Amino acid sequence: LSKSDTYTVSLSAGAMSSSNVTGLDCSITPSATSSKILVTGHVNISRTNPDANASCSIQLLRGGTILADANGDVASNRPRVLGTVPMQTVYESGTVGFSFVDSPSSTSSQTYGFRLHNNRGDTATICVNRTGDDADNAYSPRGASSVVLMEISA
């Protein structure tokens, strides 16, 4: 799955989006309950209102539930995320690359998706496949994101 169009969501400081990034959900139906699913790819993210301490993150979910083994460990009030990108200017974006092997133990269709997190600072728009300012000029590039699902037979 490749996504080149943009997506944005406004989030207060410390907030996680309540819905998945549009266009990045992908599904696979394992042929056996012993099969594993390789989830690999990258997501291009940025934010508005950057500063020296600002960053944004993504979470990986299966069926709307956070995948505990794919995202960071639970520790007090810290959010569990797949990866984080620092953002110091509105002219930059970053890529979170990932490779995770899931064990859904099912032959039902499995849908994987991503949610966005505003880690610090003020309320900000968290962006996919564009810079924070998205100006029509040479220093505000647009990127693409991709996800590959592959069944691994046991």
Side-chain angles (χ1 to χ4, degrees), residues 52-139:
N53 299 311
S55 60
C56 49
S57 302
I58 63 169
Q59 275 186 335
L60 174 61
L61 300 94
R62 177 178 18 96
T65 302
I66 186 170
L67 278 167
D69 292 340
N71 296 277
D73 190 22
V74 140
S76 187
N77 293 317
R78 296 172 185 92
R80 300 180 78 165
V81 298
L82 180 65
T84 299
V85 174
M87 287 290 121
Q88 295 183 357
T89 76
V90 293
Y91 309 115
E92 62 187 347
S93 62
T95 299
V96 175
F98 52 89
S99 184
F100 173 70
V101 177
D102 188 26
S103 301
S105 301
S106 174
T107 56
S108 299
S109 178
Q110 305 296 312
T111 300
Y112 296 86
F114 300 88
R115 293 197 180 160
L116 303 174
H117 185 261
N118 179 12
N119 295 351
R120 285 190 59 115
D122 299 331
T123 295
T125 299
I126 309 301
C127 314
V128 173
N129 295 339
R130 54 161 269 199
T131 59
D133 74 336
D134 198 36
D136 188 11
N137 56 46
Y139 52 86

Side-chain angles (χ1 to χ4, degrees), residues 23-63:
L24 272 182
D25 282 356
C26 49
S27 299
I28 190 169
T29 303
S31 60
T33 58
S34 59
S35 293
K36 301 193 180 315
I37 306 299
L38 174 64
V39 184
T40 186
H42 66 275
V43 178
N44 183 281
I45 58 175
S46 68
R47 61 172 282 151
T48 59
N49 303 336
D51 62 43
N53 299 311
S55 60
C56 49
S57 302
I58 63 169
Q59 275 186 335
L60 174 61
L61 300 94
R62 177 178 18 96

